[in-house]
Amino acid sequence: MTVKTRFAPSPTGYLHVGGARTALYSWLYAKSQGGEFVLRIEDTDIERSTQEAVDAILEGMQWMGLDWDEGPYYQTKRFDRYNEMVDQLLAEDKAYKCYASKELLDEIRAEQEANKEMARYDANHPKIVAVNQAAKDGDPCVIRFRNPKEGSVVFEDQIRGRIEISNSQLDDLIIRRTDGSPTYNFCVVVDDWDMGITHVVRGEDHINNTPRQINIYEALGAPVPTFAHCAMILGDDGAKLSKRHGAVSVMQYRDEGYLPNALNNYLVRLGWSHGDQEIFSREEMIEFFSLNAISKSASAFNTDKLLWLNNHYIKTSEPEYVAEHLQWHLDNQNINIENGPAITDVIKLVGERCHTLIELAEQSRYFYEDFSEFEAGAAKKHLRGVAKGPLELALSKVEALSDWSTENLHGVIAQVCEELEIGMGKIGMPLRVAVTGGGQSPSVDAVMQLIGQERVIARIKMALAFIAEREANA
Ligand code: GLU
């Protein structure tokens, strides 16, 4: 049997991290079994579904790298098929027309509540029987599924274990509304059957639908897939994850400077484990993933851990991969990298200091853009009279360098220290502020090498002019 899984979002909003994790687990399970992954857009709720949300979901999936083998299928394009199946169940008497009005159902529910009975639809209630007997063909009606009355539904959830629900707790579900539209629980079953889905991985919020859906599979004569219901994601305060906790949309993580591989690694560990391993390459995730190692309990989102992972991925990924995702942030911050060093070299040098791509873009700026002012605090501290001599000597030496290498620039700094008998800090810090504009950067020789000779010379001159002006004003 070829494993086939699916992700079936309703396009009523962006792709949020909970959905993204479900999609990731479903995708991983398919990949781990050499199977296929289907994307299905469940857009039957026409009022709440939007094209924007569809686009946002597709963009989120693509950004995460969760590619689908089939789809996207759209439920709104499959109404004929659902209706064909509703009609089949009607013909087989596994479904029936019910003419009871909403008002009547409300009245019956109120009675049941007053009698402290379980409020539920009861096809044998005398008032419903009377209405249905009196109805004429063509009167408005819904179609209800004839749920079995005896026995129970049992299934082996891959995450939660054996689940058993008595049929006495399940009423006759509406499968086609008065307006002729099929309902969610029915469409899902027909789709999962038609699409050959073998494993349904979805959120725990659907667990109550599963027994009802299993009865529908059986009525249709369709094989019942295996189910795995994932627990919720909570915020770090233990409440259900929501906007209040910060980013919840996957694309917002892009905007906040996360690499998709870091978010995927974070999400895979949020509720799944393989020993105590924290870092997983995509290949490792696929190799080790299994449904029964997914945790039954809810997991709490931890932004610090995500930041730690993001830093790890910025440091250790191929610089080309980081560059591909950094470009969005460079554009966003208006940094043009055409006139300057290869961005991959800047990433190799600066990346390890950064937890997000926003920081990495910010710290890339001085390699590509000249500045007209030094950072006030750093200049005040390091561009003082005492720095004049060391900077002048360094300037003459960098001007004379014919081979612009990090080693030679290291040599320049060492010679300045030696000739003037000063410690490294007395030239290193003024030079850093001169060439980067601020007081923090990676090793200044490597930084200067990437900035390039012409710019370094101009910036040291600018620092000397700054010191001269400061002394004149003193
Ligand atoms: N469309 C449902 C949702 O967005 C998912 C249904 C399913 O996975 O069976 O929550």
Side-chain angles (χ1 to χ4, degrees), residues 304-368:
D304 288 339
K305 185 171 170 194
L306 176 57
L307 280 168
W308 171 77
L309 273 169
N310 204 42
N311 169 255
H312 171 86
Y313 276 89
I314 293 174
K315 275 197 301 222
T316 60
S317 301
E318 291 294 331
E320 289 73 17
Y321 169 78
V322 179
E324 184 190 325
H325 293 280
L326 181 64
Q327 190 57 51
W328 188 89
H329 295 276
L330 293 167
D331 292 343
N332 196 40
Q333 294 185 31
N334 270 318
I335 300 171
N336 177 353
I337 58 168
E338 268 162 45
N339 298 313
I343 190 69
T344 42
D345 289 337
V346 173
I347 291 168
K348 278 188 247 172
L349 187 60
V350 179
E352 71 178 276
R353 313 164 62 85
C354 301
H355 284 83
T356 69
L357 298 178
I358 296 182
E359 284 171 33
L360 183 50
E362 277 163 3
Q363 295 190 32
S364 303
R365 189 182 287 278
Y366 61 78
F367 291 95
Y368 301 98

Side-chain angles (χ1 to χ4, degrees), residues 96 118-124 144-155 163-174 185 206-218:
Y96 61 92
M118 187 170 91
R120 61 201 297 274
Y121 175 84
D122 175 7
N124 295 322
R144 285 187 184 264
F145 174 66
R146 211 182 280 290
N147 197 79
K149 300 288 163 290
E150 308 294 320
S152 54
V153 184
V154 181
F155 67 101
I163 294 180
E164 176 167 0
I165 302 287
S166 162
N167 274 319
S168 63
Q169 293 187 26
L170 306 173
D171 50 16
D172 291 350
L173 191 76
I174 296 177
N185 273 301
H206 287 285
I207 203 156
N208 291 333
N209 291 325
T210 305
R212 300 172 180 284
Q213 293 178 6
I214 290 176
N215 283 332
I216 299 176
Y217 280 103
E218 283 169 352

Side-chain angles (χ1 to χ4, degrees), residues 211-258:
R212 300 172 180 284
Q213 293 178 6
I214 290 176
N215 283 332
I216 299 176
Y217 280 103
E218 283 169 352
L220 290 169
V224 179
T226 301
F227 292 93
H229 291 91
C230 309
M232 282 196 308
I233 300 181
L234 306 176
D236 41 20
D237 56 358
K240 186 166 188 254
L241 192 68
S242 71
K243 273 201 182 138
R244 184 165 62 74
H245 295 102
V248 281
S249 150
V250 162
M251 295 320 289
Q252 205 177 329
Y253 286 93
R254 189 253 338 248
D255 299 355
E256 292 186 3
Y258 293 94

Side-chain angles (χ1 to χ4, degrees), residues 6 8-10 42 184 188 200 202 205-206:
R6 47 51 159 203
S10 302
E42 303 205 320
Y184 160 72
V188 167
V200 171
R202 63 183 169 196
D205 46 335
H206 287 285

